[in-house]
Amino acid sequence: MRRKMMTANDLTKGARRIGAAAALCVAGAGFASAQTFDCQFPRAGGMVPQQVTVTVNGDKATVIDPIIQQVHGKAIAARISNDTNKRLTVKWELRLNKPLFYTISILKPDLRANLDLNNPVMDFDWVQTNEYGYTTQGSRGGCRQR
């Protein structure tokens, strides 16, 4: 029985198949590295939501809460400012009549969390107004990881 001699074209096809398989493995690893945290803040109120879901995938993050759901209808992009074995800190901005700045910090070992709202004062000529409550607000709570 004669063996067929491999050609350069056969090698290229094999390399493409291996490359495609490797790409699928890397893509699958990317999905496996996504982390989702469902956080509850029972004493929150007003513009500080009682629940926040944070999803981190690599260096990108998204957040959704009832306020974001009402305004945008879907999760919005957020910025990861700290991600270590001990803590995850994510920040985002929500624009209503003015910008509101949120920060959630999740302690990874026990999944305790702090949610802070920076509600800056708006200065309209001679009148200063602070819509949506106090300048700084926040709540403590906890998360579970999916």
Side-chain angles (χ1 to χ4, degrees), residues 83-144:
D83 189 6
T84 65
N85 290 334
K86 293 184 179 185
R87 178 186 306 267
L88 170 66
T89 304
V90 176
K91 299 180 178 198
W92 67 97
E93 178 181 336
L94 182 62
R95 289 195 161 268
L96 299 172
N97 296 338
K98 67 175 201 162
L100 301 173
F101 304 97
Y102 290 88
T103 302
I104 189 168
S105 187
I106 302 168
L107 299 174
K108 289 183 179 179
D110 60 5
L111 297 177
R112 286 181 297 145
N114 293 322
L115 178 62
D116 296 311
L117 165 62
N118 180 359
N119 178 20
V121 173
M122 297 299 286
D123 191 3
F124 297 106
D125 294 330
W126 54 274
V127 177
Q128 285 191 342
T129 174
N130 202 352
E131 199 172 5
Y132 307 121
Y134 296 110
T135 304
T136 57
Q137 303 171 48
S139 188
R140 293 179 184 204
C143 304
R144 69 176 182 80

